[in-house]
Amino acid sequence: MPLPMTRAEMTVRGWDALDVLLVTGDAYVDHPSFGIAVIGRVLEADGWRVGVVAQPDWRDPAALAGMGVPKLFCGVAAGNLDSMLANHTAARHRRHEDDFSPGGRAGLRPDHACMVYAQLARRAFPGVPVILGGVEASLRRVAHYDYWEDKARPSILADAKADLLVYGMGEAAIRETARRLYGRPAGRPYAAGTALAGIPGTARLLGAAESGPRNVPTEVTDDVGNPLLRKGGSQTLRQTCLLPFADSAGRPTVSLMVGCSKRPAESANGNKRFGKGLGEHPFPKGWPQQSDFPPAGGDEVLLPDWEAVRARPELLLEQTRLVEAEQSPFCGRRLRQWHGARALIVEPPAPPLPPAELDWIYALPFSRRPHPSYRERIPAFDMIRDSVTVVRGCPGGCSFCGLGLHQGRFLASRSPESVQAEIARLAGDPEFHGTVTDVGGPTANLYGSANGVAAACRSCRRPSCLFPEICPHFKIADAEAANLLRRAAAVPGVKHVFVQSGVRMDVALRQPEYVRELVRHHVSGHLKVAPEHRHPAVLRRMRKPGPEVFDRFQEAFSRESRAAGKEQYLVPYFISSFPGCTQVEMRVVEEFLRQSNWNLQQAQDFIPLPMTPAAAMYVSGRDYLSGAPIPVARGAGERLRQFAGFRPGRGPRPNGKTEKREKERR
C-alpha cells in the first residue's frame, strides 16, 4: 500500500492526522528510485504518519490542505530533477514533455519548484516548519548561477523562506530532524523554535540576531602588494580571485581548491604533496601542490558573501573551490555565507550509509508502483520499474556533474544478499517478465569499490578519486562486482539481468573479470559509456580521462563481444559547448566520428548546473585550475554550430525556424 495522498486513504490506515506531509514536483511513484518515496518510507518505518501531495496546484494553498495540518513539518522537493532542468532545454526553450508526470505532460510543476512549494506551504500551514530537500535544494544550497535565468541567485533558503535544507540523499538528516522537532527523548511536542543546528548534511539561514555581528574582513597583501587573504575574527580565507592566476611562463599559481601564492618548491615545510596532512595524492607535474586552508581553531570556512557574488558572478570560481574543499564528511568544515545581515550556515556532508542501513532502506515495503490514482503511464517509471540500485555515490568529480554534490563522493554498496532479496521480490510480481533491466547506480561498475577507508582518505580534500589518475587508496572491486551479476542472474524467475547504468571506463580497464561477465552476459545489445569529448584540454577541464581510455575500452568490449559470439555496440555520450571548447576542439570530435562512422544516439549541449565547477568556468570565462581566460560558447548560433559537429557530413546545418525546431528536438 503506498503512502496516502487523500483523507480517505488516511482513514483506511486509521489515521486522523499526519505527522509529516511531503510535497513533490514529480508524480508519486512508490519505488526506491524516487527520492520522495524513499524519504517517506524511512519516516514511516520510524513510526511517523506520512502523507504525500504530488504536483499540487501551486497557485492555491488549499491544494496542500486536504489531509490537514502536519504535526511535525512539511517537506518540500522539486522531484528527481532540478525543476529548471526538467522544464527547460539547453537552448532555454520550454520542454514539451516531462517524463516524471502522468502521460509525460509538461507544465505540472513550476519553475523553482522548491521555492514555490515552500511559500505555498507557509501560506497553507502558518507556523509549521518547512524543510527543503532533493536535488534542486542540494545544488542551490549556497549562492549560485542559474543558467536559464542567466543570473546569480542567493541560497534557495533565502527565496523559499524555509526553516531547514537537507542536502544529499538525506535519510539520516531527515530522521534526526523529525526526532528533534518532536522533542525526543523527553517526548514533549515539537515547538517551532526547536534547534536544528549541527545536523550533518543540512543548511540553515539564521536570523539577523542569531547570526551575530558581521565582521568585515581585512585585506592582507603579499610582498609585492597583491591581495592574498582576508581575516575576519579567527577566520582566514584565501582570495583566489584576486591572486595572479599564472606566472610569466604561464604556469598556474592558484591551487585546484584554495588559492596559494607559493609554488610547491617554496612551501615552508617542503611538502610537495597536495596540502599538509591531506593524504598521499600527488598532482601532475606543473600543478600547485601546497594549499593554505583556514587555520585550526576556526571550524568555519567563510564564502564570498551573496552581495559580492551578485555584483561579481566571477566570484563563483573562488566559492566553488572553497565549497569543493569541504565536501568530505570526514574532514569537511562548516561553511558560512552572509546574505545581508543573515548568515547561511552549511553543515559538513553526512557520512555515507553503512551497508546494513542501506540494506534496511531497500527492504522497506515499497509497492514499486505509481499511486493507484494515476490513469496514465509515467514514462520515468516505465524506464526504471524493473531496475535495482546497488551502489550510491560518485567519486569521479566530473566538473559538469551534480551527482557528487548531491549523493557525495564516497561510495556505499548494498550487500549481495540484499540485492538478491529485492530481485526475488521483483520476480514474484505478476507483471514481471523475467528481465531485470538494470543493476547499477550512478556508475554500475563501482559496486563493491571503496574510498574513504584508508586513513589518508579521511583527511583528503581532492574533489575526485579518479582524476587526474586513479588514487592508489581507491579500492577497485573486480570479483565482487562480477559475482553480484552472477548472483542476480541466479535468482529463480529471472531470465536476463542487464546493465543500463553507465560504466566508468578507466576503472573498468582494471576489472577484467567484471568486463568479461558484463559483456558476455549482461549487455542488452548496447552499453552506455561517457567519453564526453576527444580533445585533451577539454577533457582536463571536464576532469575526464584522456581519449585513449575510450579507445582501449572499445577494444576490450569488442574482444569480449567476439568471444561471446555477439554483435553488440557501445553507446558513447558526448558534450558540446563546454567551457574552453571552440570549433577547433569540436573538429577533433567531428573527425573521430567521421572516421569511426559513429551514429551518435546520445549527445548533449552543455548545461551549467548550479554549484558545479563547469558552471563557475562558464560564468567567469576562466579555467578552473589556472584561472587563465578561456573561450565560452554562449550564443545560440555558436552552440548550435558546435552541436552540429556530432552529425558530420549529414547535410547543411539548420537555420532560422528549422534551427529552433532542431534544438528543441535535441
Side-chain angles (χ1 to χ4, degrees), residues 441-521:
T443 308
N445 60 317
L446 292 185
Y447 173 82
S449 296
N451 51 357
V453 177
C457 300
R458 299 298 177 110
S459 57
C460 178
R461 297 178 186 271
R462 281 179 58 175
S464 172
C465 301
L466 307 179
F467 181 86
E469 58 187 18
I470 298 175
C471 174
H473 297 293
F474 186 77
K475 174 185 173 292
I476 296 176
D478 186 11
E480 297 97 321
N483 287 333
L484 179 74
L485 294 178
R486 298 186 189 107
R487 293 181 66 165
V491 173
V494 173
K495 300 176 184 177
H496 307 287
V497 173
F498 294 132
V499 172
Q500 299 287 351
S501 296
V503 170
R504 180 83 189 198
M505 294 179 290
D506 50 352
V507 174
L509 290 172
R510 302 190 186 189
Q511 296 175 301
E513 184 177 349
Y514 176 82
V515 170
R516 186 178 306 113
E517 177 68 22
L518 169 69
V519 177
R520 296 190 180 194
H521 304 292

Side-chain angles (χ1 to χ4, degrees), residues 252-273:
T253 59
V254 178
S255 163
L256 179 67
M257 306 281 212
V258 182
C260 178
S261 62
K262 295 181 179 180
R263 298 295 301 158
E266 299 170 333
S267 299
N269 61 3
N271 185 0
K272 300 294 183 67
R273 303 282 180 174

Side-chain angles (χ1 to χ4, degrees), residues 222-258:
D222 63 12
D223 295 337
V224 294
N226 290 318
L228 271 183
L229 45 86
R230 295 185 301 182
K231 291 184 177 179
S234 62
Q235 307 301 319
T236 303
L237 171 64
R238 287 289 182 181
Q239 283 292 83
T240 58
C241 63
L242 299 178
L243 290 172
F245 286 107
D247 60 19
S248 59
R251 293 172 299 189
T253 59
V254 178
S255 163
L256 179 67
M257 306 281 212
V258 182

Side-chain angles (χ1 to χ4, degrees), residues 381-399:
F381 169 69
D382 293 341
M383 290 192 302
I384 55 84
R385 64 180 301 160
D386 295 330
S387 67
V388 177
T389 300
V390 299
V391 61
R392 284 184 178 183
C394 184
C398 300
S399 66

Side-chain angles (χ1 to χ4, degrees), residues 302-580:
L302 183 65
L303 302 180
D305 58 59
W306 154 237
E307 290 76 16
V309 170
R310 178 173 55 185
R312 297 177 57 202
E314 63 271 17
L315 285 173
L316 288 171
L317 199 68
E318 173 196 357
Q319 174 184 293
T320 306
R321 293 188 186 111
L322 293 170
V323 172
E324 273 203 317
E326 306 303 329
Q327 292 311 294
S328 169
F330 308 114
C331 62
R333 287 163 297 181
R334 185 182 299 118
L335 304 175
R336 177 182 288 257
Q337 184 174 52
W338 288 98
H339 287 59
R342 305 180 68 185
L344 171 73
I345 302 296
V346 183
E347 302 292 345
L353 294 178
E357 291 190 30
L358 208 54
D359 291 352
W360 173 77
I361 289 172
Y362 284 92
L364 294 173
F366 298 96
S367 66
R368 301 183 70 93
R369 291 282 189 281
H371 190 272
S373 63
Y374 297 116
R375 295 294 178 263
E376 298 173 280
R377 56 182 286 273
I378 299 168
F381 169 69
D382 293 341
M383 290 192 302
I384 55 84
R385 64 180 301 160
D386 295 330
S387 67
V388 177
T389 300
V390 299
V391 61
R392 284 184 178 183
C394 184
C398 300
S399 66
F400 52 83
C401 183
L403 271 175
L405 292 166
H406 179 62
Q407 292 202 13
R409 189 173 84 242
F410 294 92
L411 295 167
S413 296
R414 298 168 59 185
S415 70
E417 293 76 18
S418 169
V419 175
Q420 280 189 300
E422 182 177 351
I423 294 176
R425 292 192 296 273
L426 182 61
D429 189 324
E431 297 185 20
F432 180 69
H433 300 297
T435 299
V436 178
T437 56
D438 187 28
V439 175
T443 308
N445 60 317
L446 292 185
Y447 173 82
S449 296
N451 51 357
V453 177
C457 300
R458 299 298 177 110
S459 57
C460 178
R461 297 178 186 271
R462 281 179 58 175
S464 172
C465 301
L466 307 179
F467 181 86
E469 58 187 18
I470 298 175
C471 174
H473 297 293
F474 186 77
K475 174 185 173 292
I476 296 176
D478 186 11
E480 297 97 321
N483 287 333
L484 179 74
L485 294 178
R486 298 186 189 107
R487 293 181 66 165
V491 173
V494 173
K495 300 176 184 177
H496 307 287
V497 173
F498 294 132
V499 172
Q500 299 287 351
S501 296
V503 170
R504 180 83 189 198
M505 294 179 290
D506 50 352
V507 174
L509 290 172
R510 302 190 186 189
Q511 296 175 301
E513 184 177 349
Y514 176 82
V515 170
R516 186 178 306 113
E517 177 68 22
L518 169 69
V519 177
R520 296 190 180 194
H521 304 292
H522 305 286
V523 174
S524 60
H526 298 83
L527 181 67
K528 297 176 183 177
V529 292
E532 313 292 2
H533 213 277
R534 294 290 297 181
H535 195 282
V538 178
L539 289 169
R540 177 185 66 80
R541 292 189 181 99
M542 290 179 168
R543 293 186 189 150
K544 298 289 288 188
E548 69 282 354
V549 170
F550 175 67
D551 298 337
R552 291 170 55 200
F553 183 79
Q554 186 177 4
E555 292 174 4
F557 180 84
S558 299
R559 183 173 60 250
E560 293 297 342
S561 295
R562 288 193 301 269
K566 295 182 176 181
E567 185 176 352
Q568 303 179 138
Y569 303 94
L570 292 178
V571 180
Y573 183 91
F574 286 91
I575 296 178
S576 63
S577 304
F578 194 80

